């Protein structure tokens, strides 16, 4: 389960996100995203890292806009998360006990909690609707405010295309703000600025990832396509499915 409270780097050269602790007042207004240059981020990168990122060679994916980055650890993490979801279904009662133990602290449980339905979790916001894929499992994310989770991750399977995950967090529940590197914006989702990247490993595997904010909701969509051998590199089994296409269906 990921912590969605402290500031973290996202997509390496893509953006930075700051989420304030629940005790701090959040920004005024419904829109909780700001476009900033990297040197104006609330938690700026070290100058050496900033220069390294600015001078890095940019490689575009076959869609013409997504930036490609070699990141075996990111690909491996998604594969590992997917395997956990496949093998650890829990009941609604177990999910409630997990949440109660988390709120009591210390001794926060470290094992992930996976349920098969949104109805098995107490969620503090209205989850987005999606169209494509069969729901495999739901993982609580973030923290608990007012008895409900501030975020969730849902995993889906699309027959003949691959697997995808939608992570969403309602920042209005914790008074958070998302700061996006405006130089890294390369697409839109529902008219909102978005960043799309492709992560690869050294064995031909890949995942596609899109991040955006709509109002107070932070979204990250990750897609791992089924691949088949190609002449020069592995090709998608279904080229009509992509992370950006799936993101456009989120409502």
């Amino acid at each position: 389960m990921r912590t969605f409270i402290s500031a973290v780097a996202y997509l390496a050269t893509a953006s930075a996100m700051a989420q304030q602790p629940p005790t701090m007042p959040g920004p005024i207004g419904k829109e909780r995203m700001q476009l900033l240059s990297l040197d104006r981020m609330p938690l700026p990168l070290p100058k050496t890292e900033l220069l390294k990122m600015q001078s890095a060679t940019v490689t575009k994916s076959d869609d013409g806009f997504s930036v490609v980055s070699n990141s075996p650890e990111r690909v491996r993490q998604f594969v590992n998360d997917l395997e956990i979801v496949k093998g650890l279904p829990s009941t609604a009662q177990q999910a409630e006990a997990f949440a109660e133990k988390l709120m009591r602290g210390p001794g926060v449980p470290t094992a992930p909690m996976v349920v098969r339905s949104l109805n098995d979790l107490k969620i503090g916001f209205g989850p987005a609707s999606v169209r494509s894929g069969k729901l495999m499992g739901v993982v609580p994310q973030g923290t608990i405010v007012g008895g409900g989770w501030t975020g969730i991750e849902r995993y889906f399977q699309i027959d003949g295309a691959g697997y995808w995950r939608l992570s969403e967090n309602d920042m209005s529940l914790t008074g958070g703000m998302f700061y996006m590197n405006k130089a890294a914006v390369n697409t839109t989702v529902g008219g909102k600025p978005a960043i799309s990247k492709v992560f690869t490993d050294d064995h031909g595997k890949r995942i596609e990832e899109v991040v955006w904010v709509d109002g107070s909701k932070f979204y990250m969509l990750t897609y791992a396509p089924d691949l088949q051998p190609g002449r020069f590199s592995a090709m998608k089994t279904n080229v009509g499915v992509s992370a950006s296409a799936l993101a456009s269906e989120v409502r």
Side-chain angles (χ1 to χ4, degrees), residues 22-244:
T23 55
M24 297 178 64
I28 299 173
K30 294 182 179 180
E31 194 64 42
R32 293 180 178 264
M33 188 275 289
Q34 290 185 15
L35 288 173
L36 298 174
S37 58
L38 278 176
D39 59 349
R40 294 182 62 83
M41 291 291 180
L43 295 178
L45 294 172
K47 290 184 177 180
T48 54
E49 187 66 22
L50 180 61
L51 290 173
K52 180 180 177 181
M53 291 166 58
Q54 291 173 336
S55 61
T57 301
V58 176
T59 302
K60 296 292 183 66
S61 181
D62 49 13
D63 60 16
F65 59 88
S66 298
V67 176
V68 179
S69 176
N70 182 255
S71 182
E73 64 280 0
R74 201 171 185 99
V75 175
R76 182 171 58 252
Q77 184 63 58
F78 180 81
V79 172
N80 291 343
D81 290 348
L82 184 62
E83 290 304 311
I84 291 173
V85 169
K86 289 179 179 179
L88 284 179
S90 301
T91 65
Q93 291 75 19
Q94 289 172 318
E96 185 172 352
F98 179 92
E100 290 177 353
K101 185 176 181 180
L102 179 66
M103 289 187 290
R104 284 198 305 267
V108 175
T110 57
M113 169 60 61
V114 183
V115 295
R116 291 305 186 199
S117 169
L118 288 173
N119 295 329
D120 293 333
L121 290 176
K122 292 182 179 179
I123 304 170
F125 61 94
S129 61
V130 300
R131 293 193 310 183
S132 298
K134 177 183 177 181
L135 180 64
M136 299 171 55
V138 185
V139 179
Q141 190 180 43
T143 186
I144 298 175
V145 175
W149 289 96
T150 61
I152 57 170
E153 290 185 336
R154 282 177 283 175
Y155 289 76
F156 301 87
Q157 179 179 12
I158 302 177
D159 290 337
Y163 298 90
W164 67 282
R165 173 182 66 199
L166 180 64
S167 304
E168 53 185 315
N169 287 266
D170 191 333
M171 294 182 287
S172 68
L173 297 174
T174 51
M177 191 75 179
F178 184 85
Y179 301 94
M180 183 179 288
N181 175 14
K182 62 181 180 181
V185 172
N186 53 13
T187 187
T188 61
V189 176
K192 303 294 183 179
I195 298 172
S196 178
K197 292 203 73 174
V198 175
F199 298 99
T200 61
D201 67 8
D202 300 324
H203 305 287
K205 292 182 180 179
R206 59 182 283 179
I207 60 173
E208 303 170 9
E209 202 152 80
V210 181
V211 64
W212 74 100
V213 173
D214 189 354
S216 66
K217 299 283 287 294
F218 166 84
Y219 296 98
M220 181 188 295
L221 192 150
T222 308
Y223 171 56
D226 288 341
L227 302 173
Q228 57 186 353
R231 183 176 179 182
F232 301 105
S233 62
M235 304 291 290
K236 284 185 178 182
T237 301
N238 188 334
V239 296
V241 181
S242 67
S244 57

